[in-house]
Amino acid sequence: MSRARVARRIAAGAAYGGGGIGLLGVAAVGVLLTEVQMAKRHVGNGGSDEPPPRADGLYGLQYPGHDGPLRLTMLGDSTAAGQGVHRARQTPGALIASGLAAVAERPVDLRNVALPGAQSDDLERQVTRALMDADRVPDVCVIMIGANDVTHRMPPTRSVRHLSAAVRRLRTAGAEVVVGTCPDLGTIEPVQQPLRWLARRASRQLAAAQTIGAVEQGGRTVSLGDLLGPEFEANPRELFGPDNYHPSAEGYATAAMAVLPTVCAALGLWPAEEERPDASRREGFLPVARAAAEAASEAGTEVTAAVPAGPRGPWALLKRRRRRRLPATDPTPSPDTTQDQDQDQAPEQDTSGAAAPDPAANRAT
């Protein structure tokens, strides 16, 4: 069965009920569990239990901000939280916030409610926290989720159901939503065959189904699968953190470069001509399931809703945006003392800054 059909089946199951043990089957899951236990003996010995640095605060204070700061909220698991690095400026939230400030020429107020170890069923709690203050509804939310769903055997229909509900609540509240879909778990260095093949297949199937669920609720998605694929696999010492599981600072920068253009596009900060499909980059309008399947296999590919319905169901626009380079200059974020302190993550605030991208510098995917 093609990945597009599998993704559509998972998304349909999420919408209308159903589930079960998932796509791998009982026998495959047994093998998967055995290999997971073996991998755990090697993964996590580099201090991954250390809480991620807290990067909440204002970025881009050098800009006037006459209209007030843009509000960015990060939701999801340890990847969204930035686990595996030691400085706030190295987390994906800080990188995206400072990049957004540079493009918008406006301060950005970052809040991170992500929780290391979270699965998609924790998104309901995170969304509630993100929307707790009706006067501070985020302008844009970035969700990174899915890896723990695969490793904890959450049925993919249930996973997509929770993600879709989260996107729907955020969009109804008025926030734009960008989802970084499930990374390719087949690239984790200590993982051996057959787990590597099974993990890659399961994570890519989930990523495609997440895309359908998120796009149908008005969100946009960016594939993280291949960002944790060829680049991470080719440079494991550079792009993985000390525990060989969570990304390093360079790894998070790679992911942030891919997500930032979609965040900017969601807020209408990109020129109109860049929003049109570019045939030379193999961009175009596709049935949403086909677009989701293609995106799951290619790093940084964006999918967004286009036409509500067609002969083959809803259609989506698939774009392969240019990544934004992140120079080494570090503006200092100012902690926002008006935000409540998360009981789930309370590491000391790091005010050393975040890497700001150069809006004029592009690097093709």
Side-chain angles (χ1 to χ4, degrees):
M1 185 180 295
S2 70
R3 183 176 298 147
R5 291 181 62 189
V6 170
R8 169 54 68 189
R9 191 177 71 178
I10 294 172
Y16 300 111
I21 200 165
L23 296 176
L24 295 179
V26 177
V29 167
V31 175
L32 184 63
L33 287 176
T34 301
E35 291 287 344
V36 164
Q37 295 305 316
M38 294 177 63
K40 282 182 177 178
R41 298 173 186 173
H42 302 281
V43 174
N45 294 323
S48 64
D49 289 337
E50 180 182 343
R54 191 171 180 85
D56 293 28
L58 291 171
Y59 291 75
L61 292 179
Q62 67 269 38
Y63 302 110
H66 298 302
D67 298 325
L70 289 168
R71 289 185 288 272
L72 165 67
T73 298
M74 300 289 295
L75 306 91
D77 56 22
S78 57
T79 304
Q83 189 160 12
V85 295
H86 301 291
R87 296 186 177 185
R89 68 178 185 224
Q90 298 171 328
T91 63
L95 292 166
I96 294 169
S98 58
L100 178 58
V103 174
E105 297 187 342
R106 181 176 169 184
V108 173
D109 185 357
L110 170 66
R111 187 183 185 204
N112 197 320
V113 299
L115 179 66
Q119 299 175 51
S120 291
D121 56 7
D122 189 60
L123 287 176
E124 181 179 5
R125 181 193 65 84
Q126 294 184 27
V127 170
T128 297
R129 291 198 63 244
L131 300 178
M132 189 175 296
D133 187 345
D135 295 326
R136 294 171 62 88
V137 173
D139 293 295
V140 61
C141 294
V142 175
I143 303 174
M144 297 180 176
I145 200 81
N148 295 317
D149 295 11
V150 174
T151 59
H152 289 78
R153 296 183 299 149
M154 178 179 287
T157 51
R158 182 182 170 200
S159 176
V160 173
R161 188 180 303 125
H162 285 297
L163 175 61
S164 299
V167 174
R168 181 168 57 250
R169 284 184 64 193
L170 292 169
R171 294 291 292 129
T172 299
E176 298 292 337
V177 180
V178 176
V179 176
T181 57
C182 182
D184 185 350
L185 299 179
T187 63
I188 299 173
E189 193 178 36
V191 174
Q192 303 299 320
Q193 297 292 7
L195 175 59
R196 184 180 294 270
W197 180 84
L198 294 171
R200 172 164 291 164
R201 180 185 176 200
S203 54
R204 289 190 176 186
Q205 287 176 348
L206 178 57
Q210 287 177 318
T211 297
I212 296 174
V215 168
E216 288 183 343
Q217 298 302 327
R220 299 179 184 228
T221 64
V222 179
S223 169
L224 299 184
D226 280 355
L227 291 176
L228 299 178
E231 293 183 61
F232 279 33
E233 198 167 27
N235 303 285
R237 291 291 180 264
E238 179 182 354
L239 291 170
F240 279 117
D243 59 7
N244 289 333
Y245 186 87
H246 294 99
S248 67
E250 291 296 327
Y252 280 130
T254 302
M257 282 192 297
V259 173
L260 176 61
T262 299
V263 170
C264 294
L267 293 172
L269 298 175
W270 253 210
E273 57 269 20
E274 290 194 23
E275 293 307 293
R276 303 189 187 99
D278 184 343
S280 68
R281 294 173 60 82
R282 296 179 292 114
E283 299 177 345
F285 298 96
L286 297 169
V288 66
R290 182 178 163 195
E294 289 197 17
S297 299
E298 186 169 345
T301 306
E302 175 191 315
V303 180
T304 186
V307 182
R312 296 158 66 183
W315 284 61
L317 173 60
L318 183 144
K319 289 191 67 65
R320 295 175 170 87
R321 295 188 183 275
R322 298 180 186 276
R323 299 182 202 164
R324 292 285 169 169
R325 188 173 300 157
L326 301 170
T329 54
D330 295 338
T332 300
S334 173
D336 185 349
T337 57
T338 64
Q339 294 179 0
D340 61 301
Q341 294 295 314
D342 189 351
Q343 296 295 320
D344 295 313
Q345 27 174 18
E348 181 181 354
Q349 170 73 35
D350 181 315
T351 57
S352 55
D358 178 0
N362 291 339
R363 182 170 70 86
T365 55

